[in-house]
Amino acid sequence: MRVIPFRFEGNRFWLLDQRRLPKEEVWVPCQTAGEAADGIREMVVRGAPAIGVTAAYGMVLAHLSGQDPAEADRVLRKSRPTAVNLFYALDRMKPHWGDLEGSLREAQAIWAEVEATEQAISQHGARVLKGQVLTHCNTGPLATGGYGTALGAIIEAHRLGRVSHVWVDETRPYLQGARLTAYELQKAGVPATLITDNMAAYFMAKGQVDAVILGTDRMALNGDFANKIGTYGVAVLAHHHGIPFYPALPLSSVDPHLETGAAIPIEERSALEVTQLRGVQIAPEGFPAAHPAFDVTPHTLVTGIVTEKGVLYPPFDDALRGALGWG
Ligand SMILES: CSC[C@H]1O[C@H](OP(=O)(O)O)[C@H](O)[C@@H]1O
């Protein structure tokens, strides 16, 4: 059963508060673009494609509340910097500024595109997965509003009898794996085991990981990509152990302005998300803590890129340009 993280109802965009999962299912109503931006920034809703859909409906809310679309666009663009889906969606909404019906149609189209591309990603990704798969962070319907990307592929591969078990990285510090991926795999009936991030090497060394698949927040044209912090480490471990490593993404997550990953903006989040665990102080009060929320994995560590157009193999510059229709 898929848990869709939002719904548009009664001229409000309702967000399932992912900070409260898996214990409580609490819905938060957004009536303005500012409230949608707050929901993105505070990670009520999170996940690259889901952020894009939320931003699109934030522009619909701006029209419903009589807000200047340019101001709404500015507020939404400031909410989080790394996932390119946010900017892709707002660029798609721009031609409809001042037009409520057109904005609503475009937002619905963006959401429908998420659903369609992720069904394809899941089917293509399922064909490269087998045995025991490790994943990092959360890339299911909660992160996308559709079928999921990497987790969609895992669930489909299990349905086909290809994947027998999933190692779920808890994904410190925000714990998207422990709280959200475990929740989604349990609902989907897929056998899985939660591990702390520092256990991945142990299970790889024991030969208990046959493939790694995970998400993408922004990919450059050479295949370098940004994803949840810890992804780069998993990629290095997989490379060392000769384990196939696949980022999964819709092609709308490719940044057409970036030749390499060097310029991908990395979000710095509050140190409190590291020094506290669900509000419980775990480090000395005020102790300094770093919190880059993403890291960049070089394309040289990537086996294949799972997209709605199929699985792309090196040289990724050519493969991505071909998939984007750039010849
Ligand atoms: C389907 S891509 C989801 C992507 O977004 C997550 O980041 P966050 O939870 O901070 O929005 C993570 O990087 C996932 O891989």
Side-chain angles (χ1 to χ4, degrees), residues 43 46-49 80 137-139 149 176 215 217 227-228 294:
M43 296 177 73
R46 33 63 51 196
R80 290 186 78 188
C137 199
N138 175 253
T139 55
T149 55
Q176 290 94 327
D217 289 82
N227 194 50
K228 184 52 46 197
F294 300 92

Side-chain angles (χ1 to χ4, degrees), residues 265-280:
I266 300 299
E267 178 185 16
E268 277 288 338
R269 292 190 64 87
S270 164
L272 291 178
E273 292 181 2
V274 176
T275 57
Q276 295 183 356
L277 194 54
R278 318 300 290 158
V280 175

